[in-house]
Amino acid sequence: MACEQDYYTIMCGMQELDFQGNAVPSDLVLIGEHAFPLVMSPRGQVLMAASHYGKGRVVVLGHEGYLTRFPDLIKNAIKWLMSRSGDAGIDLIAFIKAGGGLIMGGQAWNWAATHPKENTIKNFPGNKVCSVAGIYFTENYGKVAICPVPRKIPFSWRAVSIRTNFKDDLHFLLEGVSEFDIQGSTVPSEVMVHGPLAFPIAVTPEGKAFIAGAYYGQGRVILLTHESYMDRDSLSTFMVNAIKWLDQDRKDVIGIEPRLKPARTVLSKSGLDCQVTGFREDLSIYVCTSYSDARCAEIQEFVAEGGGLLIGGHAWHWEKTHFGCNVMTDYPGNHILNKMGLCLLGNMLSTELYKAPEICKEGYHFRSMLHRFAEHVHLGQKLTEHEESCLKQLGNDCASYLQMQCHDSSSYTSVFALLSDIVKLGVPQVSSNCPVESAKDLLILHIATGLYKASPDPDALLPYIIKDRSTLPTVSNARFRISAKTEGETSVADWVNRIRQAPAPWAELEFENIVMTLKSEFVRNLDRPDEVAKLWDTIMRSIADLAAKPGKFPRKERFVADVQISAGFMHSGYPVMMQDISAPELVDVQKAYKDGLWGQIHELGHNQQRGVWEFPPHTTECTCNLWSLYVHEKVLGLNGGNAHPGITLQNRQDRIKSYCDGGKDLKNWCIWTALETYMQLKEKFGWDAFKKVFALYNDMNGVPTDNAGKMNLYAETFSKVVKLNLCPFFKAWGWPIQPNTQKKLSHLPEWSDHPMVQYA
């Protein structure tokens, strides 16, 4: 890392620095890629730092007294600064950018005490210069001590926490804002807030941010995770506050990217001069999308030197259409935002009505939560109940952050080092006899996995991650030629006589549309893999058949059976996960025909569910069972209670009666009760009706996003397929059928003898 050589030049010849005495320093905050600490106190406070800006260099001391106390250090610093010096100018920032060198000494705690109502980060005079290079004085005291000078850039896990709060900023931004209405068809991404001077503004109840802000240099940035929020009337109060916060009372021109022209109406409510224009250096604020990085360096410089940036866009569609790319490092908007401490993720968030956060309550922040977890691991400090609930989010953020793999950034490497220290303290050694039982252990496993993938030297981490590794022979500088015929089939004889006894601990069975990963012990005695293949080929084709899709899957499904999975006994996704106790069921053909495979097909059914005909939470654990019913009936020859005890005739009748006696309240229409609705449709109209309905949905656009709208569309679609008006049937189940739907279907004969008539 280039910063390491810079550090060595400045600190050359020094063993320790004595900070004891009357000169009490300020704690410094560092952001961006180029700022790095020179001296760090035992508490992890940065007392001296250095950075680059443009062609120039900056050294910042946490107290002006250090300019004379440490003459050798100052000599080294001057030598380092002079190696890139340019022409001096009147403006210090222009001087540095052109190649000048600057040593600045001072402390901000005294200034902050005499300016109690002012923002130190923004208004302290020294910060108006050194902040462009990513170094800020704070109002916090630095702990004085004798500080050793390490060989490499100093690091402490204590330094990762944020050193300021953003309550004043949130008070300003949320003035008059009680909620964020992002309901509708525009789906936002999640934003990761990872910088020391970045903060979440609007979050889901789970703590996932969809609007965030940050300080960067002398300027500020606000990120909206969908550009359409800029022209939404329901968010206009917040947008006006945001514009004023970004403008910092300069009242100059707000430049709006031409493709965001509709936002001008809302943003003009700020009373400022909003113009549709391309990027210009004379703007107060630039408003743009995150879909291009064409002016990346210019925009970053614009903000660093005092400009405001309002940027909007989502990354989930980009990730889906850029297979194999890393959204953290390759998405255009993140080229702009990462240095500012913000990053758009590929995750989609729900489009709901969210309450504005309570400013008095401390919310989730990646760095502060990471610091608290480090305290928990290193010092045994107990986490609060709220902090325990944040560990899952912290694990997701650690994994995302590590994907940046920005090993030439001191900000990134400090977090990487902290996570490495946590892993080196001990990783749970998971086995069937030692399952993961705590959120802490689960988080450490997530961190270890992410570190190993991101590390420039993963082998150095491996002994900490896996304690008892088998001693295997190592071959260096070997070259192998492998010839393989991928038109991917094993003969039964090869399987029985050779392959199934291979020493690998895991086995993979790959069939036409599915791959199974399970421990080798479960296939050692498998004599007829061809029969297993035939069964699963038939099952997977039937799954595609019911979904009205081609028999050949565009991507094969996967089963993985392991000793411990992330949720439940089985769960859907890619791959479908299950406890390894269920693994033998995957390859036991006779048992499948006798007892069924309800759980496995249930999870594959989850993978077939589509939001356009789903009504969550009512049908989440219901419509997936349509595939279980279909496969058990058509492939395995098992119906009713033979397929699952939950659908015996008596259980079905009892559920309907209980639901009707309870007033047909939709909050009780879920799981088996909801499945009864679909089973009655199937018993009247057959599976072909469902296939035709699914086929129509496969090509349907403009589907409502709310449950009531989707339920009316489903009733209309199914009615047209079977050429009967099904409104009376769905109304009998308590569905919110609207008069307009009934009018659309009034030309069809009504299904008057439906099974729910007796419960009317």
Side-chain angles (χ1 to χ4, degrees), residues 679-718:
M679 291 179 71
Q680 290 178 352
L681 289 169
K682 177 263 171 184
E683 287 164 354
K684 172 66 176 178
F685 304 109
W687 288 115
D688 280 349
F690 281 92
K691 296 175 188 178
K692 291 176 182 177
V693 169
F694 289 139
L696 289 172
Y697 272 103
N698 288 342
D699 299 320
M700 197 178 293
N701 295 312
V703 175
T705 58
D706 62 297
N707 275 351
K710 289 195 291 184
M711 293 172 95
N712 276 270
L713 179 59
Y714 190 87
E716 179 185 343
T717 304
F718 215 114

Side-chain angles (χ1 to χ4, degrees), residues 590-598 628-644 647:
Q590 290 183 339
K591 191 175 188 300
Y593 280 103
K594 179 184 176 185
D595 300 328
L597 292 162
W598 188 276
S628 290
L629 288 169
Y630 187 74
V631 168
H632 281 73
E633 178 183 325
K634 296 295 185 181
V635 179
L636 303 177
L638 299 172
N639 294 318
N642 292 324
H644 194 286
I647 51 175

Side-chain angles (χ1 to χ4, degrees), residues 69-357:
R69 179 178 292 188
F70 306 115
D72 291 339
L73 185 148
I74 298 302
K75 288 178 183 177
N76 287 348
I78 291 173
K79 180 181 177 182
W80 180 69
L81 294 168
M82 288 179 65
S83 65
R84 292 297 298 273
S85 65
D87 297 329
I90 297 174
D91 181 272
L92 276 177
I93 294 173
F95 166 69
I96 298 166
K97 188 161 62 172
L102 175 69
I103 296 182
M104 177 179 288
Q107 43 77 22
W109 54 263
N110 183 61
W111 183 93
T114 57
H115 297 76
K117 294 184 178 180
E118 294 199 45
N119 183 329
T120 304
I121 293 295
K122 173 190 172 187
N123 294 328
F124 177 64
N127 285 341
K128 294 184 178 181
V129 178
C130 63
S131 63
V132 298
I135 303 174
Y136 298 79
F137 294 89
T138 74
E139 63 269 30
N140 302 320
Y141 295 92
K143 176 68 173 178
V144 293
I146 298 176
C147 298
V149 177
R151 288 190 309 107
K152 294 187 176 182
I153 292 175
F155 159 76
S156 169
W157 60 265
R158 300 175 190 271
V160 178
S161 65
I162 55 175
R163 309 296 177 83
T164 186
N165 68 63
F166 304 95
K167 289 183 180 178
D168 290 343
D169 301 288
L170 290 172
H171 271 297
F172 188 101
L173 289 165
L174 299 178
E175 177 70 29
V177 179
S178 60
E179 61 190 21
F180 289 89
D181 185 356
I182 60 169
Q183 298 175 101
S185 58
T186 51
V187 180
S189 286
E190 180 184 354
V191 56
M192 182 183 177
V193 183
H194 61 79
L197 294 181
F199 57 97
I201 298 172
V203 297
T204 70
E206 298 76 30
K208 298 181 181 296
F210 56 93
I211 299 178
Y215 287 84
Y216 182 69
Q218 294 184 27
R220 299 173 176 183
V221 58
I222 283 183
L223 169 62
L224 311 170
T225 59
H226 202 290
E227 67 275 16
S228 70
Y229 299 161
M230 295 182 188
D231 57 76
R232 184 173 290 200
D233 283 336
S234 62
L235 298 176
S236 62
T237 301
F238 170 75
M239 293 310 307
V240 169
N241 293 346
I243 285 293
K244 291 180 177 178
W245 184 79
L246 291 168
D247 180 65
Q248 301 188 63
D249 210 30
R250 288 188 298 266
K251 300 181 180 177
D252 289 330
V253 173
I254 313 300
I256 301 173
E257 181 182 303
R259 70 183 292 179
L260 293 174
K261 184 177 180 180
R264 184 178 182 182
T265 302
V266 168
L267 301 183
S268 293
K269 293 180 181 180
S270 64
L272 300 176
D273 181 10
C274 295
Q275 300 179 11
V276 177
T277 177
F279 176 75
R280 302 186 338 231
E281 292 183 355
D282 64 333
L283 298 172
S284 172
I285 301 170
Y286 183 51
V287 182
C288 65
T289 69
S290 63
Y291 304 129
S292 171
D293 58 0
R295 310 291 293 270
C296 177
E298 294 167 275
I299 291 172
Q300 288 169 339
E301 183 179 289
F302 167 74
V303 179
E305 296 182 12
L309 176 65
L310 177 62
I311 184 169
H314 59 275
W316 55 262
H317 183 266
W318 184 94
E319 185 178 55
K320 289 180 184 297
T321 55
H322 290 74
F323 182 75
C325 292
N326 182 344
V327 70
M328 302 289 290
T329 56
D330 300 331
Y331 177 70
N334 286 338
H335 294 159
I336 299 171
L337 292 165
N338 265 337
K339 289 184 179 181
M340 300 176 179
L342 301 170
C343 190
L344 280 162
L345 304 180
N347 305 338
M348 292 187 286
L349 299 181
S350 299
T351 55
E352 298 180 21
L353 182 67
Y354 294 107
K355 291 183 179 180

Side-chain angles (χ1 to χ4, degrees), residues 21 89 147 193 280 306 411 464 678 720 729 753:
C147 298
V193 183
R280 302 186 338 231
S411 179
Y464 299 101
Y678 296 93
K720 290 180 178 178
F729 169 73
D753 60 344

Side-chain angles (χ1 to χ4, degrees), residues 10 107 381:
I10 299 170
Q107 43 77 22
Q381 291 191 6

Side-chain angles (χ1 to χ4, degrees), residues 28-31 35 49-51 58-60 127 130-137:
L28 305 176
V29 166
L30 312 182
I31 69 167
S51 187
V58 177
V59 172
V60 178
N127 285 341
C130 63
S131 63
V132 298
I135 303 174
Y136 298 79
F137 294 89

